[in-house]
Amino acid sequence: REFACSASMPAKSQRAPVVEVVDDKALSYTPGTLKDIRQSKYLIDLGGGDQWVDWQRVREAAPPCTEFIPQPDSIIEVRKAGAEEVWFEAKVKSVKGGYTVAVFLGSGGGEEIVEWPHFRPAYSRVAPARSRPPFVKQVFQLTDSRVHEWFKANEQRVVSDVVS
């Protein structure tokens, strides 16, 4: 079977994009929330505190996917036991029934038997290469108090338009 992914729109209450921070040694992707941008750095809330990260280590969170059956020797992303929030790149060693044997490619190495939904397509391998930051920050001076009040009164609408 082929896998199917569908992009999802952020919830109206969502204020900041959900992103994933790349660890190049472990070949892992940790979810976080984008909080601020300064030049080429992003301030990311990783759940245990905020961290400034170079934009090249940040990607949009992978879109949700329906169940799929990976092929042997293909690359997938897997949640390791004990690290449920982090996705690690792995190579499929074998597939039998609903179980997949995955060999981790990063510095931690190892092998694990996983089943759906603890793996997903390797979004890192299919996402296009970027030459510029995926998110930018623009600041505007609002000198007219009426315009400022309108933005405050319509904040949710403006944020949902900008984030989506």
Side-chain angles (χ1 to χ4, degrees), residues 4 64-69 98-100 114-121:
C65 295
T66 58
E67 185 175 354
F68 78 106
I69 299 172
Y99 298 97
T100 299
V114 293
E115 59 185 323
W116 182 261
H118 297 286
F119 60 85
R120 66 185 184 190

Side-chain angles (χ1 to χ4, degrees), residues 8-142:
S8 65
M9 300 299 277
K12 289 197 182 260
S13 62
Q14 185 175 351
R15 296 175 140 294
V18 174
V19 296
E20 293 177 341
V21 178
V22 179
D23 179 331
D24 291 323
K25 288 182 183 175
L27 292 178
S28 66
Y29 306 90
T30 303
T33 305
L34 177 61
K35 293 179 72 177
D36 196 6
I37 300 172
R38 287 201 186 131
Q39 297 169 345
S40 66
K41 301 281 187 184
Y42 290 168
L43 181 62
I44 309 292
D45 177 0
L46 294 169
D50 296 346
Q51 181 177 345
W52 285 100
V53 178
D54 189 77
W55 74 266
Q56 293 165 327
R57 291 188 48 226
V58 176
R59 71 178 190 186
E60 291 182 68
C65 295
T66 58
E67 185 175 354
F68 78 106
I69 299 172
Q71 299 302 309
D73 296 322
S74 65
I75 306 297
I76 59 176
E77 293 175 5
V78 177
R79 289 187 205 161
K80 280 187 179 182
E84 282 77 21
E85 292 299 314
V86 181
W87 293 91
F88 294 85
E89 282 192 14
K91 185 173 185 176
V92 176
K93 185 174 179 179
S94 64
V95 179
K96 189 168 186 175
Y99 298 97
T100 299
V101 178
V103 178
F104 295 101
L105 301 176
S107 59
E111 183 175 292
E112 201 168 296
I113 299 171
V114 293
E115 59 185 323
W116 182 261
H118 297 286
F119 60 85
R120 66 185 184 190
Y123 181 64
S124 57
R125 303 294 174 118
V126 297
R130 298 182 318 228
S131 60
R132 52 187 187 175
F135 303 100
V136 294
K137 178 180 175 179
Q138 295 181 337
V139 178
F140 299 95
Q141 288 283 21
L142 299 176

